[in-house]
Amino acid sequence: MDKFLAELEQASINIRRRISGSLTGNYKSYRLGSSYDFYGVRPYYKGDNIRNIDWKAFSRTEKIYTKLFTEQKQISVTVLVDNSKSMGFGQPDKWTMAKMCALGISYIALKELNKLNVYSFNDSIELNLNNLNSKKLFYEVLNKIEKINPSGKTNLKEVISSISSSKGIIFIITDLLSNDINEFLQKSVGKYEKVVLIHIMCEEEMNPKYNGKIKFIDSETGEIKIANVGKKDIELYKQKVKEFTLNCKEECEKRNINYIFAPKYNSPVQIILKAIEVE
């Protein structure tokens, strides 16, 4: 764990637009204006104020950069992680990846003195930690999450309805194995100013090696199906998985949700670093 946290020590939640906050903290918001201290530069994005273009950098590099100015503001960061029984599938299981992502984001939020809320869920809220705002409290989060084992069914719609809205940012970590994905996404956007979804899948789900007569057991419902699985069935299954993930991405993009497909990255640290680059 110490090595994992060390890799995140210099990481920061980078938000490219203003977001609500209140108390003073270590978060540097990218508000532009001469009344704030100069922070640095980044590539120019469409819509940036042209008065903040760094013309000296342009003369040196022939690339357009925007000057950044900072103000110190605490923001609300919510982490919502799926611990339903389906998350226990895979080698390593999906829950291992999900909890590392949850812990990493929590650590970054707390070391920057932001307000942190952490929830884990299946068909209801299982873990509920609110208004944490000190790096010292990270190990409370760690101890609570380490005690959780995947169990129960997934009920995305009911879960998002039951947590209180605190504006700010929510990071949702889930395998999206539920029948109410679209309503869940819509309600998430309604409750938070920015939503980042980390979609967890394991190798066995994407590229199964099964063949012959197989007994399938739904880990959440216990439903059993027996089928003869051949090469064509595997190819059809892979196509359906591709369609599912593409649909999830499209539904997120419709709602301006940052969609992170976890299997695309090699480690929890890489996933976290991508997730905290908030558009």
Side-chain angles (χ1 to χ4, degrees):
M1 180 59 66
D2 289 343
K3 181 181 178 182
F4 172 68
L5 297 180
E7 291 185 77
L8 299 173
E9 192 60 42
Q10 301 304 315
S12 178
I13 298 173
N14 297 314
I15 304 173
R16 294 176 184 168
R17 65 179 181 84
R18 187 177 178 182
I19 200 163
S20 295
S22 53
L23 304 176
T24 300
N26 282 343
Y27 166 69
K28 293 183 173 63
S29 65
Y30 286 175
R31 290 183 59 180
L32 306 181
S34 59
S35 60
Y36 299 102
D37 292 335
F38 177 72
Y39 175 59
V41 298
R42 62 155 166 76
Y44 174 84
Y45 296 112
K46 183 178 180 181
D48 284 349
N49 191 329
I50 61 173
R51 290 180 296 178
N52 292 298
I53 291 176
D54 189 332
W55 295 110
K56 289 184 179 179
F58 176 75
S59 67
R60 293 193 307 269
T61 66
E62 296 187 355
K63 295 180 180 179
I64 302 178
Y65 292 92
T66 295
K67 294 179 182 178
L68 303 177
F69 301 86
T70 68
E71 68 170 341
Q72 299 294 101
K73 177 175 284 188
Q74 183 185 66
I75 58 173
S76 176
V77 177
T78 297
V79 176
L80 179 65
V81 58
D82 185 349
N83 69 275
S84 62
K85 197 166 184 179
S86 66
M87 294 293 287
F89 183 72
Q91 294 294 331
D93 61 43
K94 291 181 283 184
W95 173 243
T96 298
M97 180 68 75
K99 73 179 181 181
M100 293 302 290
C101 290
L103 289 169
I105 294 169
S106 297
Y107 179 75
I108 294 169
L110 290 175
K111 76 179 179 66
E112 295 184 319
L113 305 183
N114 290 309
K115 184 175 72 173
L116 174 69
N117 306 301
V118 182
Y119 303 95
S120 73
F121 72 94
N122 37 49
D123 55 351
S124 62
I125 297 296
E126 186 164 329
L127 174 65
N128 187 344
L129 299 174
N130 295 112
N131 299 322
L132 308 178
N133 62 357
S134 168
K135 188 176 178 179
K136 295 179 181 178
L137 297 174
F138 171 74
Y139 287 96
E140 177 183 347
V141 179
L142 173 63
N143 292 334
K144 295 285 188 181
I145 288 182
E146 287 291 357
K147 293 177 181 178
I148 297 173
N149 292 310
S151 64
K153 300 178 182 180
T154 308
N155 192 330
L156 294 174
K157 181 177 68 174
E158 291 301 319
V159 165
I160 200 64
S161 298
S162 65
I163 63 176
S164 58
S165 174
S166 57
K167 295 187 177 294
I169 307 169
I170 185 169
F171 293 89
I172 302 169
I173 307 165
T174 176
D175 59 9
L176 285 174
L177 295 182
S178 182
N179 295 322
D180 44 20
I181 295 173
N182 290 348
E183 189 171 354
F184 166 72
L185 296 176
Q186 194 61 41
K187 286 189 175 183
S188 299
V189 171
K191 294 172 78 76
Y192 293 89
E193 292 174 271
K194 190 61 192 176
V195 180
V196 179
L197 191 142
I198 300 175
H199 189 180
I200 304 290
M201 290 189 74
C202 63
E203 179 64 20
E204 290 91 332
E205 286 177 315
M206 297 184 296
N207 295 295
K209 302 295 191 290
Y210 312 122
N211 61 75
K213 193 173 185 179
I214 306 294
K215 179 191 286 188
F216 296 96
I217 304 174
D218 189 307
S219 62
E220 294 189 6
T221 67
E223 181 183 358
I224 298 174
K225 288 188 177 181
I226 298 175
N228 286 308
V229 179
K231 184 176 180 179
K232 288 184 179 181
D233 299 301
I234 294 296
E235 292 304 316
L236 178 60
Y237 169 83
K238 289 181 180 180
Q239 181 60 34
K240 292 294 183 182
V241 169
K242 185 177 180 180
E243 291 172 2
F244 170 67
T245 56
L246 181 60
N247 179 68
C248 292
K249 181 180 180 181
E250 290 175 346
E251 291 299 328
C252 286
E253 290 176 345
K254 285 179 186 177
R255 298 168 174 84
N256 198 31
I257 294 173
N258 286 31
Y259 175 83
I260 312 297
F261 187 53
K264 182 179 176 182
Y265 302 91
N266 295 324
S267 69
V269 169
Q270 289 186 8
I271 296 168
I272 292 164
L273 294 178
K274 180 63 179 177
I276 61 177
E277 294 177 3
V278 184
E279 295 288 341

